[in-house]
Amino acid sequence: MFYLNSYHDGYAWSDDIREGIRHRFEQSGHRVEIQMEYMDTKVFHRPGVTRKLLELYREKYAQEEYDIVIVSDDDALDFMLDYGDELFPGLPIVFCGINYLEEELLDREHTTGIVENFNIQRTLELALSIHQDKNRIVVIGDESTTGVAIKNQIMEAVPEFSDRLDFEFWTQYSLDEIADKVKDLPQDTLVYFIPFFYSAGGQVFSAGEVLENVAGFSDLPIYSNWEFLLGHGMVGGNLISGFEHGSIAAGMALDILEGKSPADIPIIHDIVDQNMFDYNVLQEQGIKQTQLPPDSVLINEPPAFYELDKQVFWVIMSSLGALLIILGFLVRSIIHKRIVEGRIRNQLAFQESLMDTIPQLVCWKDLNQRYMGANEAFTDFFGIESPDKIMHQTDTMLMPTRDFAQWAARMDKQVVRTGQALRKVRMPVRDQNGDSSWLEVNKIPLRDEKGEIVGTLSTAENITNEINLERQLLQSQKMEAMGTLAGGISHDFNNILTSIMNSTELAQGDLNPDSPAYQDLERVLKASHRGRDLVQRILDFSRPSQEGFRPTVLPELVRESVSLLQSSLPRNIEVRSSISGGYEPVNVNPTQISQVVMNLCTNSFQAMQDQKGILTINLEEIELDVYRAEELDMPAGKTFRLEVSDTGPGIDRRDLDKIFDPFFTTKALSGGTGLGLAVVMGIVKNHKGTIQVDSRPDQGTSFEILLPAREPARKDSEPAGAYLQTGRGTLLFVEDDHDLLETTPRSLQAMGYSVFTASSGREALEILGQGTSFDLVLTDFDMPGLNGIELARQIRAEHPDLPVLLITGRIQALEGLEQPDNIRLILAKPFNQVDLSQAVATALND
């Protein structure tokens, strides 16, 4: 079950609801697992927070499955009504603690719950029966979502008391303003309190603490309708229980889990309430218990004093009387002092607990930048034993990174000097483990009661994961853009290469193989093949392919690559390797993996070529857990970890985000193409792995590659070798490129085929309609008017037995397109005569 709470852990009303839910589930005998989230909208009810929560929950629960959702209070219900279908599509929702319900917005097929309809009329009637001299009432609240909803409910009851009470609403005042105004209220006034939080000076006061403050400034009777406020200075009232709300909501959830439809469970508008009072406040107000309804419940009531023999009782009382009179003033003073001390201790304990539950790093310093305190998140991040250990220390004494310490001290001085806050400043830093992290820092000036700056308060959030995700997204976008560019040029370039290769082979057929011209043309063919490979390498950045994957023992492959590399390295480079792991074959492209090792090692020794250095290659087999796998977007389980590190000068931090960009290089104009690390990235992604780099100035560079150990697929047979095949038959060749229309038919005729040509799809259909019997149609995919697939569909409709061989220079453009079944084979450009002959033979014999 997923439980979404509008407020935060420690808010009494929400805590009571939570305990009610848990109690009902435990009593039911069912085992219900509860995943709980706090939206914290009492403190952080600001624009933009809801979207951040949506992004967090979407990322956090993308792979989780729940059976039902319970929400408490209005903000959580509004959130689920807006985004529930996106986060948990189709899940039933049970709500409770709702002050303002618009039933017309509910999908009753999936939603039911309890409305927080407190009975203000009963409480006011109760108060007027006790205080018959009161004729006005002041309602104290705030402008939060809940506060406004409760105020509207009270407004509905105003007409019923218009002849007995004058209503006044205080919902926009600060706590200090309320304290000043409540002191001046006349004695004919009642006070009604709506629960709300208050934040001032970096401190957050709970609803109970706010009520205690109001009660401390006035002797007027205070009433309310919520049980969790009882004991904080109010008389009492007709109170509703958060525990009861949670218990009933859990009961509804159990009914739904057992098969009942939410539409068949009516929404509850009237909840059981009870007249409850605080005995201590009754005594302070001079209210007798006989003035209360007979079913009233008292808290803080002293235990019954068992009756003694009257003679003994009066002897004891007489003996104690003198002592009590003497000690009365002293006891009163001590009690008052202890109450104050208890409140201070509770306040300090609450503040300390609140600080330690905040996930952000929080610290505060004096004007000399010496620490006055910090929370546990701060000390844990920097590896400090406890917050007590940092008292009166400076950044240079504590921080493991000198640059960060100097930066923090400089920013603190700027805040003190200008009196202006610094917000959302990002800074790299190393944590207690030495790992590189990013912090988003906020700093504000601390002021005393006179408004003078006495120090700084700093908060920081670890945004390392967000930074890494941004980098991964940027890198993916760059690779996608490169792939799009390559795909765009590949068609025309492959047409050119195909024309060159076909024309060259035709020309070679007219020459003596031993002639210089024949050899020159052979070099043209080799250059054409290199051009084809270059285009394919660029396309592979963004279009993964399983071509070339086969069962491979990865440790042996890496060991062979390292051995081959050692023979070519200069003597000033020491190679250290540690290669381990299982010897079961895994499915990889061995050529590409060797290329990864070679490229990374080559970059490392080139970085150290002017100095003595150490090149380290490590390979080990690890078990990747589910959480780490989700973070890296990799399959969990057996994984190979390949690390290549050096002791060179490192990579400039400004270049770290660009090293995998195609054609980016820091070498001289003749020192590199900028494709090495881009190829490595493409290969790793093609193997469903990840690559990360860690580099520090003058401390070297380390590349870490994680590759899933995927088992190889079984193959029944190996493909036959390539050779030129001849044949017989009548072919129709359709191509809009003029050069290919001249050369390819000649190659086909040389293979023994009779060939007709057409420069467009329309012309091809006209030729087919003239009655000539064809054995096969060869058509280009990218053509104006009818493309190759559209032409194949028309041929299937008019000549259903005629097969088609589709030729394309952009294989990736066919992905996702529905192809007619008369397309027997797809031939990729550029192709030579051997490729063409085997494709035609396969299409004819299929």
Side-chain angles (χ1 to χ4, degrees):
M1 184 209 78
F2 182 82
Y3 173 42
L4 183 61
N5 193 320
S6 295
Y7 306 137
H8 58 274
D9 191 13
Y11 183 50
W13 169 258
S14 297
D15 289 353
D16 289 346
I17 290 178
R18 178 192 64 201
E19 295 307 312
I21 292 173
R22 285 178 172 168
H23 178 76
R24 184 60 177 272
F25 283 152
E26 291 171 358
Q27 294 297 315
S28 70
H30 295 285
R31 182 174 178 270
V32 180
E33 294 183 4
I34 304 175
Q35 174 64 43
M36 190 176 308
E37 286 286 354
Y38 292 92
M39 295 178 67
D40 206 5
T41 55
K42 277 288 184 185
V43 179
F44 302 103
H45 193 68
R46 296 192 294 268
V49 172
T50 299
R51 294 299 305 178
K52 294 293 184 182
L53 289 175
L54 173 61
E55 294 173 7
L56 172 64
Y57 297 161
R58 185 191 295 125
E59 182 71 19
K60 189 173 180 180
Y61 299 110
Q63 305 299 323
E64 302 296 325
E65 293 185 2
Y66 299 98
D67 298 308
I68 197 167
V69 175
I70 294 181
V71 297
S72 66
D73 295 287
D74 297 73
D75 291 310
L77 177 60
D78 292 342
F79 183 89
M80 289 306 301
L81 291 178
D82 289 339
Y83 307 111
D85 286 340
E86 180 178 350
L87 294 173
F88 310 109
L91 282 192
I93 299 174
V94 177
F95 57 82
C96 59
I98 304 302
N99 299 104
Y100 182 73
L101 181 67
E102 297 180 87
E103 289 195 31
E104 63 273 15
L105 299 180
L106 300 180
D107 177 9
R108 285 291 286 119
E109 290 297 320
H110 295 86
T111 311
T112 189
I114 315 161
V115 180
E116 187 184 329
N117 277 337
F118 57 93
N119 200 319
I120 180 66
Q121 292 89 341
R122 290 181 187 174
T123 294
L124 294 183
E125 290 289 357
L126 188 60
L128 289 175
S129 68
I130 297 173
H131 309 279
Q132 298 181 7
D133 59 336
K134 309 297 184 183
N135 55 28
R136 63 180 300 192
I137 184 167
V138 172
V139 180
I140 300 177
D142 67 354
E143 292 296 327
S144 67
T145 303
T146 302
V148 172
I150 294 174
K151 176 184 174 182
N152 292 336
Q153 290 177 265
I154 297 173
M155 291 291 293
E156 294 176 1
V158 169
E160 187 176 339
F161 298 91
S162 60
D163 58 339
R164 289 179 288 171
L165 286 173
D166 293 329
F167 284 78
E168 183 175 352
F169 291 86
W170 296 357
T171 59
Q172 295 180 333
Y173 299 122
S174 68
L175 189 56
D176 292 335
E177 292 172 333
I178 292 174
D180 292 335
K181 290 175 69 65
V182 80
K183 294 176 184 177
D184 300 328
L185 288 174
Q187 290 299 310
D188 63 345
T189 306
L190 294 168
V191 175
Y192 183 89
F193 187 81
I194 299 174
F196 71 98
F197 265 55
Y198 179 74
S199 176
Q203 297 182 347
V204 179
F205 298 87
S206 69
E209 291 169 333
V210 173
L211 177 57
E212 289 175 3
N213 275 277
V214 174
F217 289 109
S218 173
D219 59 354
L220 296 176
I222 304 175
Y223 287 82
S224 191
N225 276 95
W226 289 269
E227 180 185 0
F228 76 94
L229 295 175
L230 197 62
H232 294 279
M234 76 170 185
V235 177
N238 188 256
L239 307 185
I240 59 175
S241 166
F243 183 92
E244 188 70 17
H245 264 242
S247 178
I248 294 174
M252 291 179 169
L254 288 170
D255 289 342
I256 294 172
L257 291 175
E258 291 175 357
K260 196 171 184 179
S261 171
D264 297 331
I265 303 176
I267 295 175
I268 298 177
H269 292 272
D270 295 316
I271 193 95
V272 176
D273 46 25
Q274 194 167 21
N275 296 322
M276 300 182 69
F277 300 88
D278 188 335
Y279 179 88
N280 293 334
V281 180
L282 293 177
Q283 298 299 309
E284 293 174 3
Q285 292 287 332
I287 301 173
K288 299 178 180 180
Q289 294 187 33
T290 55
Q291 297 177 262
L292 307 179
D295 60 343
S296 298
V297 176
L298 296 183
I299 69 167
N300 297 325
E301 185 178 15
F305 190 86
Y306 293 103
E307 286 190 357
L308 299 173
D309 181 83
K310 291 185 177 180
Q311 185 176 359
V312 176
F313 174 81
W314 285 111
V315 169
I316 295 175
M317 294 302 295
S318 299
S319 301
L320 294 176
L323 181 60
L324 292 175
I325 294 173
I326 295 172
L327 295 178
F329 289 103
L330 177 61
V331 170
R332 182 178 178 183
S333 175
I334 292 174
I335 292 174
H336 180 71
K337 179 180 179 181
R338 287 183 177 177
I339 291 174
V340 173
E341 289 177 348
R343 289 179 178 176
I344 293 174
R345 283 195 300 271
N346 291 338
Q347 181 70 19
L348 291 175
F350 171 78
Q351 292 177 358
E352 184 177 351
S353 299
L354 179 63
M355 291 294 292
D356 288 338
T357 57
I358 295 175
Q360 284 81 12
L361 284 63
V362 182
C363 66
W364 51 99
K365 307 174 188 176
D366 61 15
L367 289 175
N368 297 317
Q369 284 81 53
R370 292 187 176 272
Y371 283 93
M372 302 302 294
N375 67 347
E376 289 185 357
F378 182 91
T379 55
D380 290 345
F381 182 85
F382 289 107
I384 302 170
E385 184 177 345
S386 70
D388 296 335
K389 299 295 183 180
I390 73 169
M391 298 296 291
H392 309 299
Q393 302 291 315
T394 63
D395 289 303
T396 54
M397 299 176 182
L398 292 175
M399 296 299 173
T401 307
R402 182 176 181 83
D403 292 343
F404 183 78
Q406 293 176 345
W407 176 84
R410 188 167 64 253
M411 294 300 101
D412 285 325
K413 291 178 181 178
Q414 177 180 333
V415 170
V416 171
R417 184 180 69 255
T418 64
Q420 300 295 320
L422 294 175
R423 304 203 183 269
K424 294 186 179 300
V425 181
R426 294 185 174 185
M427 184 66 183
V429 65
R430 297 196 176 274
D431 60 17
Q432 60 169 326
N433 300 319
D435 295 331
S436 180
S437 302
W438 279 87
L439 295 180
E440 187 172 79
V441 182
N442 301 287
K443 290 182 178 289
I444 63 171
L446 283 178
R447 302 179 185 271
D448 59 14
E449 64 277 4
K450 298 180 182 179
E452 299 292 332
I453 297 177
V454 295
T456 56
L457 172 68
S458 303
T459 63
E461 184 174 359
N462 190 339
I463 58 170
T464 305
N465 289 338
E466 289 83 348
I467 292 292
N468 290 338
L469 288 174
E470 289 175 3
R471 288 175 175 173
Q472 292 176 16
L473 177 60
L474 181 59
Q475 188 64 39
S476 297
Q477 290 173 339
K478 291 177 180 177
M479 303 305 284
E480 182 179 354
M482 188 63 193
T484 302
L485 175 62
I489 67 173
S490 63
H491 174 255
D492 292 336
F493 192 54
N494 284 331
N495 276 350
I496 295 171
L497 288 176
T498 302
S499 180
I500 293 173
M501 293 166 68
N502 290 347
S503 297
T504 302
E505 289 177 331
L506 288 171
Q508 283 182 318
D510 298 331
L511 297 174
N512 187 333
D514 296 328
S515 67
Y518 187 96
Q519 300 301 322
D520 290 338
L521 291 176
E522 189 66 29
R523 283 189 287 273
V524 172
L525 280 176
K526 291 180 180 179
S528 300
H529 287 124
R530 287 199 300 272
R532 177 178 63 183
D533 293 341
L534 176 61
V535 173
Q536 187 60 44
R537 287 172 62 190
I538 297 175
L539 286 174
D540 284 342
F541 293 159
S542 62
R543 182 172 57 85
S545 171
Q546 298 299 306
E547 184 179 353
F549 279 62
R550 62 174 180 265
T552 305
V553 178
L554 193 57
E556 291 184 357
L557 175 65
V558 175
R559 192 176 289 110
E560 291 174 2
S561 300
V562 173
S563 177
L564 179 63
L565 180 74
Q566 283 180 305
S567 61
S568 62
L569 291 180
R571 293 184 178 181
N572 64 310
I573 304 298
E574 178 185 353
V575 179
R576 298 177 182 176
S577 63
S578 174
I579 300 173
S580 61
Y583 283 83
E584 297 85 6
V586 293
N587 195 36
V588 298
N589 185 317
T591 302
Q592 292 183 348
I593 296 300
S594 295
Q595 187 177 4
V596 167
V597 176
M598 289 298 192
N599 281 7
L600 293 180
C601 292
T602 300
N603 283 349
S604 293
F605 86 72
Q606 286 179 350
M608 300 183 294
Q609 60 185 356
D610 297 330
Q611 61 186 20
K612 187 176 182 179
I614 300 173
L615 173 62
T616 304
I617 302 100
N618 294 326
L619 177 71
E620 61 178 338
E621 186 180 305
I622 64 173
E623 192 71 22
L624 195 64
D625 60 58
V626 175
Y627 302 104
R628 180 64 171 159
E630 288 181 355
E631 180 182 343
L632 297 175
D633 193 22
M634 285 180 58
K638 189 168 68 172
T639 303
F640 280 100
R641 177 180 176 271
L642 173 64
E643 181 182 19
V644 178
S645 58
D646 62 61
T647 58
I651 302 173
D652 193 307
R653 183 176 295 276
R654 293 171 297 182
D655 295 332
L656 272 177
D657 292 338
K658 298 180 288 186
I659 60 174
F660 294 108
D661 292 356
F663 307 115
F664 174 80
T665 179
T666 58
K667 302 172 185 176
L669 292 177
S670 60
T673 63
L675 283 176
L677 288 179
V679 169
V680 169
M681 168 69 79
I683 292 172
V684 172
K685 291 297 184 183
N686 194 19
H687 284 75
K688 307 301 181 185
T690 63
I691 181 170
Q692 294 179 329
V693 59
D694 183 24
S695 184
R696 308 180 190 180
D698 301 321
Q699 296 187 35
T701 301
S702 176
F703 287 88
E704 180 190 64
I705 295 174
L706 297 179
L707 297 174
R710 297 182 296 177
E711 294 184 0
R714 295 183 179 179
K715 294 186 177 180
D716 297 330
S717 62
E718 292 296 326
Y723 61 92
L724 184 68
Q725 297 189 34
T726 60
R728 291 183 176 278
T730 304
L731 312 181
L732 175 60
F733 180 70
V734 189
E735 172 64 68
D736 64 313
D737 185 273
H738 178 73
D739 291 334
L740 290 180
L741 203 60
E742 290 290 332
T743 58
T744 303
R746 291 174 58 194
S747 297
L748 291 171
Q749 289 169 354
M751 300 172 196
Y753 298 104
S754 175
V755 184
F756 289 74
T757 62
S759 61
S760 69
R762 297 296 178 190
E763 184 180 351
L765 291 174
E766 291 176 1
I767 294 174
L768 290 173
Q770 292 175 2
T772 303
S773 177
F774 289 94
D775 298 298
L776 178 68
V777 175
L778 296 84
T779 178
D780 186 28
F781 169 64
D782 287 290
M783 294 188 300
L786 285 176
N787 63 33
I789 289 182
E790 292 169 344
L791 175 59
R793 290 197 183 99
Q794 296 248 10
I795 292 174
R796 183 183 61 178
E798 299 175 11
H799 307 278
D801 297 327
L802 181 58
V804 175
L805 190 155
L806 187 66
I807 302 173
T808 179
R810 296 189 303 133
I811 289 290
Q812 69 277 12
L814 299 177
E815 296 176 0
L817 295 180
E818 183 179 354
Q819 300 175 16
D821 54 15
N822 60 336
I823 295 180
R824 299 287 178 83
L825 192 67
I826 297 176
L827 176 62
K829 296 178 182 179
F831 53 82
N832 56 24
Q833 289 183 350
V834 172
D835 298 332
L836 181 61
S837 70
Q838 292 192 336
V840 171
T842 301
L844 287 172
N845 297 325
D846 191 0

